Each structure stands twice: as structure tokens, then as C-alpha cells.
């Protein structure tokens, strides 16, 4: 299966600053990657779909200007949280999906813990 | 995407078998049933997937009745390291939703000595 790596694993930033999170597909060329957010004691919520070479598509309620996604290559997608606030503190997880059809599982990164102070 | 319902939590002792049942009454014909495991502060990890009947791999079994409106994940002889949240997902492979996973609340399994 695909190996997905995120960087950093955790980050602490000051309120009002921006933070970039990288998601790399190490052994799989992914035209599409997915970004999720998970608050403590809650489930994963899909934020957006990252499309290589084109604009990301965002789920309802997710601010595209706040969560900037860039997918410049088949192995790298980045999520930038702009003007971060404490309420943006969360666990951010990316994933790639295999290309074997509907029976293909998803492969997730290890996640990035963002704390905004 | 079909909605899923599963127990919030389950407790077990080491060495026991744990069975988690997931309800998905609105499952579509081309939907697969997939289970993921998540440890604290980690991304989910694929456990098993099936379409109908029974599927078994090295870590779990998945039982799916003929009507496919539910499924049961069976973890044989659990150990402390099986303490995690288990998610049941039902999805389709259409171009519009492929890869866009809708996670339910999951089942917190706690294994004690």
C-alpha cells in the first residue's frame, strides 16, 4: 500500500500567524489527496480534496481562504492555515486513495497536531 | 454515502474476542464496507474490507449478512495494543465521492488485563 508522510508531526504557533503542513505520498503518485481535521474526542471530518495541478475543492463550511491547499506535484500536497486562531487547534490528517477502484482502501498520514496559542 | 451506526464504546479483557456491529441500512449496491483503526494521535489505519459474506485477514474477520444492512468486525483474542477507535465506513466508488470518506463516531474499544 501507499506510504503517506506528514510534516511536521506537531506544531505550536502564535495566534495570527500562518502554518504550513506538508503531506507526501512516498511511493505512490497521487493526483488526488484528502485533508481531514479531527478535534479532541471527535471523529475525522473531511475538509477538502486536493487536486494535482488544479484548485482544491472544499467541503461545505470550510473556508478556502483560510485553509489554502496547494498540490503542485503528484507526491506533495500542502495545507496552509492562515491567520491561525486558537479554535484552529486540531489534528490535521491527509490521505491518499489507491487506484484499484471502489474496493481500494485509503492510506493516511500520521497526522499533524496544531496548537495555536 | 450511506450513514453508519455503531456502538460508542466496548470494553474487553485480553484474550477475548471482540465483535463490533455496524448498521448501514441505506447501503447501495456498489458500496464496499471498510473498517479502519485509529490510535490516539495517529492517522487511521486500514483493517479490512468486504462486499458480502465473510472476509478474513491476519488481523480480523468481517461478517456481512446477505442483505448487507449491517456488518460485524471480529477481533480475535484481543491484546492491550488493540485499544483504539474502530470506524466502519460504507462508500461508493463513483467519481464524485471516491476517496472522500465520511467517518462516523466510531467505537472506542478498551482492552484491559
Amino acid at each position: 500500500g501507499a506510504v503517506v508522510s506528514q510534516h511536521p508531526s506537531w506544531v505550536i504557533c502564535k495566534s495570527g500567524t500562518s502554518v504550513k503542513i506538508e503531506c507526501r505520498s512516498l511511493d505512490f503518485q497521487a493526483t488526488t489527496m484528502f485533508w481531514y481535521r479531527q478535534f479532541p474526542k471527535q471523529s475525522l471530518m473531511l475538509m477538502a480534496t486536493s487536486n494535482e495541478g488544479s484548485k482544491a475543492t472544499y467541503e461545505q463550511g470550510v473556508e478556502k481562504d483560510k485553509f489554502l491547499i496547494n498540490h503542485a506535484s503528484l507526491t506533495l500536497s500542502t495545507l496552509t492555515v492562515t491567520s491561525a486562531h486558537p479554535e484552529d487547534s486540531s489534528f490535521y490528517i491527509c490521505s491518499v486513495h489507491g487506484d484499484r477502484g471502489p474496493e481500494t482502501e485509503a492510506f493516511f498520514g500520521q497526522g499533524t497536531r496544531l496548537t495555536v496559542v | 454515502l450511506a450513514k453508519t451506526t455503531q456502538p460508542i464504546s466496548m470494553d474487553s479483557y485480553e484474550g477475548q474476542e471482540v465483535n463490533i456491529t455496524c448498521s448501514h441500512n441505506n447501503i447501495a449496491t456498489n458500496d464496499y464496507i471498510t473498517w479502519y483503526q485509529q490510535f490516539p494521535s495517529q492517522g487511521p489505519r486500514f483493517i479490512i474490507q468486504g462486499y458480502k459474506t465473510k472476509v478474513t485477514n491476519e488481523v480480523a474477520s468481517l461478517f456481512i449478512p446477505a442483505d448487507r444492512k449491517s456488518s460485524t468486525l471480529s477481533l480475535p483474542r484481543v491484546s492491550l495494543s488493540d485499544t483504539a477507535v474502530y470506524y466502519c465506513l460504507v462508500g461508493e466508488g463513483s467519481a464524485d465521492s471516491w476517496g472522500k470518506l465520511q467517518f462516523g463516531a466510531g467505537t472506542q474499544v478498551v482492552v484491559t488485563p
Side-chain angles (χ1 to χ4, degrees), chain A residues 36 38 43 97 103 105-106, chain B residues 36 38 46 49 98 101 103-104:
Chain A
Y36 296 82
Q38 185 176 33
S43 187
H97 212 76
E103 71 275 20
E105 70 266 30
Chain B
Y36 290 88
Q38 186 183 28
F46 170 84
Q49 185 181 69
W98 192 12
L101 302 181
F103 284 81

Side-chain angles (χ1 to χ4, degrees), chain B residues 57-105:
Chain B
N57 61 21
E58 62 275 9
V59 298
S61 294
L62 179 60
F63 299 91
I64 305 170
D67 65 5
R68 303 199 329 122
K69 293 185 182 299
S70 67
S71 59
T72 300
L73 174 71
S74 180
L75 305 173
R77 299 179 298 281
V78 294
S79 62
L80 299 179
S81 62
D82 292 317
T83 294
V85 177
Y86 293 82
Y87 295 99
C88 163
L89 281 80
V90 175
E92 57 194 60
S94 70
D96 291 340
S97 64
W98 192 12
K100 298 171 66 173
L101 302 181
Q102 187 175 54
F103 284 81

